[in-house]
Amino acid sequence: MNGKEQYDWKRHYDCTIKPEKSIGDFKYYTLENDTGSGKIVTYEIFPGLLAVYNDLSFERCGKVVEPGDDIIQINYCSEGRYVRKVSDRYMFYVSHGDLSIGTVGRRETGGLFPTKRFCGLSLFMDYCEFQNSAGKLLDELKISLNEIIRLSKSKPRYYTLREIQKIDRVYDLLISAIIERRMPMIRLKVFELLMILCDPEIMTEPNIPEYLSKKQVDIAKEAEKMMTEDLSTQLTISEMAGRIGVSPTSLKTAFKGVYGVSIKDYRKQFKYQEAMRLVKETSEPITEIAAMVGYSNPGKFIAGFKSSFGVTPGALRKKDDRFS
């Protein structure tokens, strides 16, 4: 260990970042810009290996960084969708369950969160520093950083692995361990992940990015705006397509490509998220909130709310009141 400074993860974020608290080696931050807010937890697993857990509710907050061949960035998305623009097309390269790996800033371009929600974990590895600090363990576990370096540099842009079950299992436990501050489990799961990534056969997994044109992205965003501006009314897909000037099929294809779910599912998710906000932040009667998000039948609204969040809106309000 040579006392080298920790990698500056803050340069990846286009927002105001404020320290909130520290608990041991776990550091907590709040983030904010004109499109939303979020929270971050960081933990230095070893010198040269930094974990950054993101819980973000933004439309955008990513910032382009200068390339750095000596730092490997491993990203995993546990919730939401992250978009990178590539020339005149949009590459949707991380959605739920996806992992991407590359050297920092590798052909990086501006990005956004079309669902205004993203949770995930980034690992920043200074592989020379990490080799120095954890070399003995890496050798004992037969983890070859050369294989991971090769994987990170195998594509002009970040290499993406789509929903590989064994990676999902490792990350689920790793993220839980960071949230619960269980240091031995964090190290255990990180080494397990590295063992998977240094397997040459990982390169045989599908790595197919989804591309949409700017026109398709604009179509999807216009439909999303129509749906969310007034939740008390509900346009049909045909009505939205007619207003935009495209066929219903083209609208559905573009929307699913951008937001990762169907129009019907997105509308339902958005309505219940808005209902949750109203339950927590206002004193409006539950029947009024149901009507505000487009439900004429309060009983159906309450049943759907409980199915989505595991609690009725009334019980959620009482629970929040206890802590106010």
Side-chain angles (χ1 to χ4, degrees), residues 242-255:
R243 292 189 183 188
I244 297 169
V246 297
S247 71
T249 299
S250 296
L251 172 57
K252 288 189 285 187
T253 299
F255 195 93

Side-chain angles (χ1 to χ4, degrees), residues 265-276:
D265 287 344
Y266 184 89
R267 185 172 0 223
K268 179 181 177 182
Q269 291 170 12
F270 188 90
K271 284 184 174 187
Y272 282 121
Q273 287 291 341
E274 177 62 9
M276 176 182 271

Side-chain angles (χ1 to χ4, degrees), residues 189-212:
K189 290 302 158 186
V190 162
F191 282 122
E192 189 175 343
L193 171 66
L194 296 179
M195 290 173 72
I196 294 171
L197 292 180
C198 73
D199 182 351
E201 289 192 7
I202 203 77
M203 295 287 285
T204 65
E205 297 289 348
N207 180 48
I208 305 169
E210 302 171 44
Y211 289 101
L212 293 177

